[in-house]
């Protein structure tokens, strides 16, 4: 644990401290999003010290010209970035003519509280004799709506004149802009006494990427009186005033954000904003809030994981699910799940292999199959771009990108861009996962095979035959363990590549696709590659070898390091990390997790016992895989430790980088750790099974899953596990290896 | 050969074509330098099409803030660059009011000629009825002086009014600036009717690097009449005019460049410029030119290599020596040999391992020992910075930089900066080379050991002991073959590291240095590492293995590639290059070259025959090593091919990148190929030996060497080899394995 700044509580994140030292961390943790837009939890009021204001609109991005030290052939021309959009929540507050500045003024009674159950952020503070209570939400009932309400009341017996300038500010920059360029221009703006708007557009780019229009219109409600509007080149503003005494005065800022993603052209974007503003005019704050709350409560009905006996664990899983759904709830098939969601700028891009490897299993269980199918279709739609990426490397078939918006690779480190190609295994794996979980083979037969064949062609071209060894090899890769680069024969990558070739051949046999022109010779070659793929293995240790040469290293456990060495990525030079045996995230173990039905428990144990002690888990994607395997191996303590680490990664700032934004795509990890780990839910061969255990510190936990048209509740208590079929036909499943038919409810004794 | 744009001739580079398509290439080839300053051969007159103006002052540089895509721990903060300084050669010429623009106007009678014997660049062209003959040199007699003379004569029978605006322009930028920043500011300027000056200073930087002042003052001579001076923010200008008829009118631009490297503060820099201008005022052009010519003739007396029977070969070696000495003649101990000299901006930095590996052998033979000793002392002076570099990587001892001005590492690719550490072997090797060649052990005993001990400490910390193999290994390096990165156990690096440890121990035994605090345990450790260093070797093939895993590649020769694939670095994506077996430059063979007395002829042949066919020589440093080994192995055809490639690398633009500047540090290669290759000069164990052969296309060649106080001439003819002792005591040496004492002259029959 690095820093914990929010109180532990089952449904809320709360702090009574105005964190100046950890301002950015607090902003990350109090981010809000509704899948359509989102923002960091920066103060709306003036805060003249270090802070990272960030407002992001899903699917709105900019191609930032590539910046590298040394150009390498094949590097992409730009890095697509989710860009900081206009700041529509800004206000300036003046009390008796003095501007409120939360960085400089003496602030009393400060509190901030994120209500995860209802998706509402509340803040309170008292300044210059006036107490302000702020309530903010981004509506999940009306995605375009951001609503912020200030209640002001005098606490010193005097009457204060309070003025609020409500601003929309288009003068924003990305902190991570490669060349400190501005990504936005103002297209239009308008101000009247009681409303104003500003329409912005991303600036022109030489890469043929769409220029997005984003329009924000603000209207107002409450008891403050309008003083009139004003504007500058980059801002529009409306001023309001109230005499604030002992009775609360309220000011509501209602912002409607519309974009060219939904409406064609400036006029339509503006008109939509106008229409939506009109639609909510006169609707009471509480009515708008209730509709929003109802949306969140509905989400929790299926998704909530109830943990008894540990508020820390409970808060962790809820925070993860809350932020994950704030980023993506599957409502817009054009979107994917960005690594920082709406909580920061780092990494850029919208789509990583994280989606397929870590998010798909959760969405399969907690959403309708269409959501996952959309995620798969997203990749199918980008197949031409993936073909382009392979061509850029002089290779056949399709190479899905490491980071992208459109399918075109955006990343620009050779050891990642060109080499971390195992992503081209995770994407087929998700097709398998969807097909196996849902039982729906229609996607595989049609779009799935189109992807699989092109990916197989890539792998068949990317391997080479080593005459000396009589084996196919894959040189020059980076595995999931990014603390080693440009390695040869990464066991995970080689295993995944061979599996893709096999799975494609099997699927083609079942669903012939003459339109894909796969020749007999091609099929034969794929079979030969898979049969003769080199998979490094050490007989003496009985483990799969992460890559050639790994065992030549100075093998030692993380426990041999001084605490001062950690985290390695902040304390060690890059070359020292590369040469060390320390593993950033599960690599061999990731493969064992993917293909858990292929390995026996001894193989799993030997590999876990060998690799886990060398793993520093400095990727947020690592602990959950270890939690799942540890649970299977009966290593309860390790499983719980890993759960804790994944569930509270951001809450406790384990990697000391949450100030940059939340680790959104790894937030599925805590759910995976509970459901696939503690409850040992498996779906191998289309058969659902469970073998739950209860962490000793907990008194129980419960969750729901969707599975093939059923809704099932699983409740694990101190003595029993209760399975309840809440919806759908009776279902055959296995509990602790025993076949049962679930019809209504089934209680099994907890295996201890 | 890619492009040959200059005529073949023994002492000149000449062309009658105004190369618009290959303008930058022609500019590179016609660069001038005098060790103090230099410039690309851009036209002084207006040329409004693509061109690369570049003027550089030795030792004047700027720390350009590091630009990378992704920061890695340990990256340097800035990249030091030899920066484009003020353009002091600029003129605008107007004929009857029309501006001469060599890109746009119809030009007749164009010619350009670089006279290498005298270090003079001449150009002629006729435009608007006037013929201009331009003569330029950077004086080696008065290093601060650049002199350009225009002669104008009417060729159409009319009289033309010709005006020349002579400009000094400080508004220059580096094309390779990371953030398109300007590196210069104007400190002062002044203009009168017959002279003007401008004093510039590098802008402030946050890295504590000295801000250099460069002042250029122009005065004039000739028959043109002064019209007066003028200035703008960034320029000073003096205008001159003449009525040009059938008798030549002359205009001389005399520029004195002084800097804060030699004078303290602006006033002193300016005063020195003034004084030097005064000093040459009234001195005739021919007098100044003659002094300059005499300097070059003196250089050639010792350095010239005369080749009979091949003008191509003759031109190649002279061009290389000319450009090398234009860059560095050992007169300023604060300087080193930058990779592009004064001919371009690419690469930045002043100092690479090229100096120690490729330049030292030449300067040992062609200059006084002090020049090489200065080059060694340069590194000794930077020992604290090398210690800093090692610390940045968390390692003990000293790591010399890949690229630097001050000793602080400037390069910023992890696979080079952190991994191409074999440079820490080349620097000790140069100490050995100096000591062995000169017989002077005083440097080794004192400064040399200070370097060796710290470098040894680095190596001892950088290796690790592989328990599985019972050997010391060096993981994560890049060898001389930069077409493979982050490899393990590069034979060259491991061999060199072990040698450094041995050499240091031996030197310490001979010259004890208690002040360096080398403990017995340390010495024992070094001995253990060297004795148990893993050196990959393949028994079946009988070759040293470039690195672990190399033999697992799809091994095939360059001849298996299509010509369309070459050069790989322009045709293939980086990852494809990395995975291929193709070698950028000698790697194992570089080691065999360094330690030629340790390997027998069979070992040399097997390794040469194995590696050479896979080598694409896309580093300019590669062919010479192959020429030397091929000559030793009796492979005359290969030796000559490799000589041709190194000697005419830039003249024939083999690597298709000479437009960026000349490959200065590899220009020693053609000399090495002749002297260490064709003539088989060796100095193993302090004993000089020769075993010359004569390429069949040649009728003879001759060169001089300095060796331990002697000056020896070696002349190889069709039948005989004649050794002549021109200076110094009689000397024992070996010719074709036979001991002789050289006293006066010795003739041996040529071995055919």
């Amino acid at each position: 644990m690095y820093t914990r700044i929010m109180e532990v509580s089952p449904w809320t994140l709360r702090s009574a401290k105005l964190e100046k030292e950890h301002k950015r961390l607090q902003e990350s943790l109090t981010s809000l999003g509704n899948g359509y837009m989102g923002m960091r939890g920066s103060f709306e009021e003036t805060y003249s010290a270090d802070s990272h204001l960030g407002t992001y609109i899903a699917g709105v991005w900019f191609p930032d010209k590539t910046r590298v030290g040394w150009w390498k052939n094949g590097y992409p021309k730009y890095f697509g970035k989710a860009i900081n959009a206009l700041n529509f929540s800004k206000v300036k507050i003046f009390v008796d003519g003095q501007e409120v500045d939360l960085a400089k003024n003496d602030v009393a009674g400060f509190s901030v509280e994120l209500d995860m159950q209802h998706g509402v952020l509340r803040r309170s503070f008292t300044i210059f004799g006036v107490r302000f209570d702020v309530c903010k939400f981004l509506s999940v009932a009306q995605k375009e709506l951001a609503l912020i309400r200030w209640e002001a009341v005098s606490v010193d017996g005097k009457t204060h004149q309070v003025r609020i300038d409500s601003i929309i500010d288009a003068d924003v920059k990305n902190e991570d802009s490669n060349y400190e360029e501005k990504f936005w221009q103002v297209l239009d703006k308008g101000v009247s006494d009681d409303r104003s708007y500003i329409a912005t557009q991303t600036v022109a780019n030489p890469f043929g990427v769409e220029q997005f229009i984003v329009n924000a219109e603000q209207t107002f409600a409450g008891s403050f009186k309008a003083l009139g509007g004003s504007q500058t080149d980059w801002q529009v503003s409306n001023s309001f005033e109230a005499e604030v005494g002992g009775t609360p005065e309220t000011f509501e800022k209602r912002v409607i954000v519309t974009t060219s993603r939904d409406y064609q052209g400036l006029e339509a974007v503006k008109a939509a904003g106008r229409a939506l503003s009109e639609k909510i005019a006169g609707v009471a704050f509480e009515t708008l809030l209730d509709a929003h709350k109802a949306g969140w409560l509905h989400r929790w009905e299926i998704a909530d994981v109830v943990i008894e006996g540990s508020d820390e664990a409970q808060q962790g899983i809820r925070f993860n699910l809350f932020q994950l759904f704030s980023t993506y709830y599957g409502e817009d098939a054009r979107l994917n799940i960005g690594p920082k969601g709406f909580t920061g700028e780092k990494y850029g891009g919208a789509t990583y292999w994280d989606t397929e490897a870590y998010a798909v299993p959760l969405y399969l269980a907690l959403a309708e199959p269409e959501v996952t199918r959309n995620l798969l279709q997203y990749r199918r739609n980008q197949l031409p771009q993936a073909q382009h990426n392979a061509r850029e490397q002089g290779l056949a078939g399709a190479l899905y990108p490491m980071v992208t918006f459109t399918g075109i690779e955006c990343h620009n480190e050779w050891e990642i861009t060109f080499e971390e190609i195992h992503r081209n295994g995770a994407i087929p794996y998700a097709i398998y996962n969807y097909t196996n979980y849902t039982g729906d083979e229609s996607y595989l037969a049609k779009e799935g095979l189109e992807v699989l064949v092109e990916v197989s062609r890539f792998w068949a071209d990317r391997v080479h035959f080593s005459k000396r060894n009589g084996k196919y090899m894959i040189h020059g890769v980076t595995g999931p363990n990014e603390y080693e680069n440009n390695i040869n024969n990464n066991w995970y990558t080689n295993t995944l590549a061979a599996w893709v070739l096999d799975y494609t051949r099997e699927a083609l046999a079942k669903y012939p696709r003459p339109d894909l022109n796969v020749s007999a010779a091609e099929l034969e070659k794929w079979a030969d590659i898979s049969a003769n793929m080199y998979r490094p293995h050490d007989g003496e240790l009985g483990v799969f070898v992460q890559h050639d040469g790994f065992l030549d290293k100075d093998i030692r456990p993380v426990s041999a390091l001084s605490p001062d060495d950690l985290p390695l990525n902040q304390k060690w030079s890059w070359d020292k990390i590369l040469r060390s045996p320390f593993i950033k995230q599960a690599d061999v173990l990731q493969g064992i997790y993917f293909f858990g039905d292929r390995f026996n428990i001894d193989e799993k144990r030997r590999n876990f016992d060998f690799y886990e002690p060398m793993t520093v888990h400095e990727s947020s994607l690592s602990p959950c895989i270890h939690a799942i395997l540890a649970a299977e191996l009966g290593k309860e303590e390790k499983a719980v430790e890993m759960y804790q680490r994944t569930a509270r990664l951001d809450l406790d700032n384990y990697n000391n980088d949450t100030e940059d934004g939340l680790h959104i795509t790894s937030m599925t990890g805590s759910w995976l750790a509970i459901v696939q780990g503690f409850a040992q839910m498996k779906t191998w061969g289309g058969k659902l099974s469970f073998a739950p255990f209860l962490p000793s510190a907990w008194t129980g936990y419960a969750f729901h899953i969707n599975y093939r048209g059923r809704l099932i509740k699983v409740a694990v208590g101190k003595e029993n596990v209760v399975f309840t079929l809440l919806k759908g036909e009776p279902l055959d499943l296995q509990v602790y290896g025993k076949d049962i038919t679930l019809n209504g409810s089934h209680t099994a004794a907890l295996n201890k």
Side-chain angles (χ1 to χ4, degrees), chain A:
Chain A
M1 180 166 69
Y2 216 85
T3 333
R4 179 183 292 178
I5 60 168
M6 304 302 271
E7 291 161 20
V8 173
S9 164
W11 273 115
T12 62
L13 264 60
R14 193 180 182 284
S15 169
K17 184 174 174 199
L18 200 168
E19 293 283 353
K20 292 188 177 172
E21 194 190 336
H22 299 295
K23 185 69 168 63
R24 286 173 181 243
L25 176 60
Q26 197 170 65
E27 288 171 354
S28 295
L29 292 171
T30 55
S31 296
L32 288 181
N34 67 356
Y36 173 80
M37 61 182 167
M39 57 177 65
R40 291 168 56 78
S42 318
F43 298 154
E44 281 68 38
E45 307 83 12
T46 300
Y47 182 82
S48 64
D50 184 62
S51 157
H52 185 202
L53 276 162
T55 310
Y56 309 93
I57 317 290
V60 169
W61 62 284
F62 188 78
D64 200 11
K65 194 179 86 180
T66 296
R67 184 181 76 181
V68 290
W70 300 84
W71 191 267
K72 311 266 196 204
N73 293 344
Y75 272 167
K77 297 191 177 63
Y78 62 80
F79 198 111
K81 292 180 176 171
I83 52 173
N84 201 352
L86 75 192
N87 174 10
F88 55 72
S89 58
K90 184 172 182 166
V91 296
K92 288 186 183 185
I93 299 182
F94 300 85
V95 176
D96 304 323
Q98 288 181 281
E99 183 177 356
V100 168
D101 178 342
L102 293 169
K104 288 194 180 145
N105 304 143
D106 280 339
V107 176
F110 178 86
S111 74
V112 57
E113 183 184 86
L114 176 66
D115 171 355
M116 300 186 285
Q117 192 169 25
H118 305 105
V120 176
L121 183 67
R122 291 193 177 80
R123 287 184 299 118
S124 297
F125 56 88
T126 299
I127 206 160
F128 302 140
V130 178
R131 174 184 166 86
F132 292 91
D133 294 295
V134 191
C135 173
K136 174 168 75 168
F137 64 92
L138 304 181
S139 176
V140 297
Q142 178 72 57
K143 64 181 184 184
E144 296 86 355
L145 172 63
L147 217 163
I148 315 168
R149 184 185 64 181
W150 283 261
E151 281 189 337
V153 63
S154 170
V155 292
D156 62 2
K158 301 179 189 155
T159 297
H160 298 279
Q161 191 211 38
V162 176
R163 195 181 101 209
I164 300 182
D165 293 349
S166 180
I167 295 164
I168 305 176
D169 182 5
D171 187 15
V172 289
K173 269 198 173 180
N174 266 42
E175 286 198 349
D176 70 342
S177 163
N178 283 342
Y179 296 92
E180 289 170 33
E181 288 168 340
K182 210 163 199 159
F183 298 148
W184 292 101
Q185 57 192 337
V186 171
L187 278 193
D188 190 17
K189 54 191 185 316
V191 181
S192 66
D193 278 0
D194 59 355
R195 72 174 184 105
S196 57
Y197 72 91
I198 188 160
T200 56
Q201 186 180 32
T202 50
V203 297
N205 67 80
F207 308 109
V209 169
E210 173 183 1
Q211 287 181 262
F212 296 95
I213 299 171
V214 173
N215 179 68
E217 164 157 346
Q218 57 179 351
T219 54
F220 309 95
S223 58
F224 275 56
K225 310 236 155 12
L227 297 176
S230 65
Q231 56 179 292
T232 64
D233 285 354
W234 290 93
Q235 290 192 352
V236 292
S237 177
N238 290 81
S239 296
F240 290 83
E241 200 176 50
E243 298 294 318
V244 173
T247 310
E249 302 289 337
T250 64
F251 173 74
E252 276 179 54
K253 172 168 185 160
R254 296 172 167 200
V255 183
I256 294 290
V257 178
T258 51
T259 82
S260 58
R261 292 185 67 252
D262 296 321
Y263 303 98
Q264 283 282 324
L266 174 64
E267 291 311 316
V269 171
K270 278 166 52 185
R274 190 80 279 275
L276 288 168
S277 290
E278 294 288 353
K279 187 179 142 195
I280 57 165
V283 181
F285 177 84
E286 291 301 338
T287 308
L288 294 168
L289 179 58
D290 285 348
H292 168 70
K293 282 180 169 177
W296 271 105
L297 289 170
H298 176 71
R299 293 173 175 197
W300 287 117
E301 267 173 38
I302 291 177
D304 191 28
V305 176
V306 176
I307 296 172
E308 286 159 14
S310 169
D311 283 354
E312 284 188 12
Q314 178 67 77
Q315 186 185 38
I317 181 81
R318 283 189 177 137
F319 181 66
N320 288 341
L321 291 168
F322 174 74
Q323 289 292 355
L324 190 66
F325 293 154
S326 295
T327 304
Y328 187 81
Y329 200 63
E331 289 148 331
D332 185 338
R334 298 167 299 175
L335 298 177
N336 210 290
I337 308 162
K340 295 278 167 211
F342 303 114
T343 72
E345 294 165 10
K346 212 177 163 186
Y347 297 126
T351 314
Y352 285 62
W353 70 289
D354 307 23
T355 296
E356 281 78 10
Y358 304 96
V360 156
L362 178 146
Y363 284 100
L364 278 171
L366 296 185
E368 293 307 306
E370 288 66 37
V371 171
T372 304
R373 195 162 171 149
N374 279 343
L375 288 172
L376 301 186
Q377 183 65 42
Y378 177 95
R379 294 289 197 178
R380 169 58 192 85
N381 294 342
Q382 298 185 347
L383 184 57
Q385 292 89 320
Q387 289 168 323
H388 165 88
N389 296 337
R391 242 44 99 238
E392 285 290 295
Q393 293 192 35
L395 292 168
L399 173 60
Y400 279 93
M402 194 66 201
V403 181
T404 194
F405 278 92
T406 63
I408 297 286
E409 178 65 75
C410 283
H411 198 90
N412 58 348
E413 282 176 301
W414 63 269
E415 66 273 18
I416 306 292
T417 309
F418 302 153
E419 298 209 332
E420 200 172 337
I421 53 176
H422 65 79
R423 57 194 187 248
N424 238 20
I427 288 158
Y429 186 84
I431 297 172
Y432 155 78
N433 208 355
Y434 169 83
T435 306
N436 179 62
Y437 191 97
T438 63
D440 167 22
E441 304 218 328
S442 66
Y443 182 82
L444 170 65
K446 177 91 180 51
E447 299 86 353
L449 262 171
E450 291 158 13
V451 169
L452 289 172
V453 163
E454 280 299 280
V455 167
S456 289
R457 284 173 171 151
F458 170 85
W459 284 119
D461 200 23
R462 184 59 164 76
V463 304
H464 75 273
F465 187 71
S466 172
K467 291 185 268 301
R468 185 164 77 144
N469 301 277
K471 288 283 184 185
Y472 289 94
M473 293 188 158
I474 307 181
H475 274 192
V477 304
T478 294
N481 173 23
E482 291 172 323
Y483 283 178
E484 297 195 286
N485 293 157
N486 195 41
I487 56 177
N488 295 334
N489 295 312
N490 175 245
W491 180 86
Y492 173 78
T493 304
N494 288 22
T495 300
L496 211 49
W499 172 83
V500 170
L501 295 171
D502 289 341
Y503 186 58
T504 307
R505 282 192 304 116
E506 286 159 20
L508 276 176
K510 196 165 175 186
Y511 301 105
R513 288 292 295 273
D515 61 315
L516 299 179
N517 299 313
V518 182
S519 69
E522 218 173 349
L523 285 172
E524 205 177 307
K525 178 80 181 169
W526 296 355
D528 185 44
I529 293 170
S530 173
N532 294 294
M533 179 67 86
Y534 173 68
R535 293 179 177 85
H537 178 268
D538 188 86
E540 203 175 311
L541 294 166
V543 299
F544 307 120
V545 180
Q546 190 165 293
H547 65 86
D548 291 347
F550 182 81
L551 296 180
D552 287 343
K553 291 193 160 195
D554 180 13
I555 300 288
R556 60 210 152 110
V558 178
S559 60
L561 294 174
S562 146
D564 290 346
D565 290 321
L566 297 171
L568 296 183
N569 63 16
Q570 294 175 15
K571 301 297 182 67
W572 280 14
S573 73
W574 184 241
D575 70 302
K576 197 167 171 180
I577 290 174
L578 289 178
R579 290 197 309 279
S580 85
F582 303 116
I583 297 170
K584 184 182 179 191
Q585 77 179 84
D587 193 302
V588 167
L589 298 182
Q590 179 80 37
I592 288 177
Y593 161 71
F594 268 179
F595 303 112
D597 54 341
R598 290 185 172 196
F599 305 105
N600 64 41
I601 202 79
D602 280 346
E603 286 173 313
K604 292 180 184 181
R605 180 169 292 113
R606 278 196 305 271
N607 281 284
F608 188 92
D609 289 348
F610 183 70
Y611 287 109
E612 196 282 330
M614 289 186 278
T615 305
V616 290
H617 305 294
E618 290 178 13
S619 162
S620 60
L621 302 169
S622 188
C624 63
I625 302 302
H626 287 80
I628 293 165
L629 288 173
E632 183 174 2
L633 295 169
K635 296 168 186 288
E636 181 191 323
E637 199 182 333
K638 177 57 72 176
V640 171
E641 177 200 335
M642 290 290 111
Y643 167 78
Q644 193 79 356
R645 187 153 170 169
T646 187
R648 299 193 57 89
L649 176 76
D650 286 318
L651 287 178
D652 292 344
N653 196 14
Y654 270 102
N655 288 1
N656 194 22
D657 62 0
T658 296
E659 74 230 37
D660 297 331
L662 304 174
H663 299 82
I664 295 296
T665 46
S666 59
M667 285 188 158
T668 62
S670 48
W671 184 90
L672 291 172
I674 291 178
V675 174
Q676 297 191 350
F678 300 169
Q680 283 290 299
M681 179 178 100
K682 297 185 192 310
T683 55
W684 302 125
K687 178 91 173 205
L688 187 64
S689 69
F690 293 91
F693 86 89
L694 179 69
S696 60
W698 298 4
T699 53
Y701 62 96
F703 59 88
H704 298 84
I705 60 157
N706 285 313
Y707 184 78
R708 301 195 174 192
R710 285 82 167 184
L711 177 62
I712 300 166
K713 180 178 181 184
V714 180
V716 181
K718 283 182 94 74
E719 301 300 331
N720 295 316
V721 188
V722 181
F723 299 88
T724 311
L725 183 66
L726 298 175
K727 211 178 79 183
E729 300 292 303
L731 178 72
D732 291 339
L733 51 81
Q734 275 194 344
V735 178
Y736 296 122
K738 223 181 87 183
D739 288 316
I740 66 155
T741 299
L742 182 62
N743 190 358
S745 160
H746 173 88
T747 301
L750 183 75
N751 225 350
K752 294 182 194 179

